[in-house]
Amino acid sequence: MDSRLNPFQDKMEKTLNNLEEEYAGIRAGRANPHILDKLRVDYYGTPSPIQSVANVSVPEPRMIQIQPWEASMVKEIEKAINCSDIGINPTNDGKLIRLVFPELTEERRKDLAKDIKKKGEEAKVAVRNIRRDAIDSINKTGKEEGISEDEIKGLEDDAQKLTDKFVAKVDAAVDAKCKEILTV
């Protein structure tokens, strides 16, 4: 692979990593603490991740337990969870917050699978846009630097091969997450 394609390969890897992070937040009927990664609570005027103001644990397969380090944070964390799109109501006993994940219905599993495939398609579009940017860059620098047409064509082919490789990785990630979601 030509070193001129490295910045575009890095962008494609970031796209794939972003997709995997999004998939980590999709719940599959069992507790996953990563579902809380994007939530922020107001900690003395600073939006902070829940993990930085509380201990997050998974004591049972379908329960997340959040124990704030300060008792005053219980209400803030509960408010952040209620305002989020997680779809789970927290239970609060004054010191701990528990999130109990209900068993997913077949209909909900199918909806999640559709959402997973949609996010996968968005990632593939992003990878193809990066390929387009790479080809535009190759053509522009090729004309400016006087690179031969054969070398430009070779770089374009390398960009296509790189794109195909990352599209295959996205497809594999989509298939793996769909299989996880649809398995009862």
Side-chain angles (χ1 to χ4, degrees), residues 4 8 132-147 152 155-156:
R4 291 174 276 200
F8 301 105
R132 185 194 64 224
D133 294 343
I135 290 174
D136 290 347
S137 174
I138 290 166
N139 288 326
K140 183 180 175 191
T141 56
K143 290 176 184 172
E144 291 172 357
E145 297 174 8
I147 299 174
I152 290 173
L155 285 170
E156 288 177 356

Side-chain angles (χ1 to χ4, degrees), residues 86-97:
I86 292 176
I88 297 174
N89 290 326
T91 55
N92 167 8
D93 69 1
K95 295 179 182 176
L96 286 176
I97 296 174

Side-chain angles (χ1 to χ4, degrees), residues 25 32 44 50 54 100 173 184:
N32 182 348
Y44 296 108
I50 289 178
V100 179
V184 177

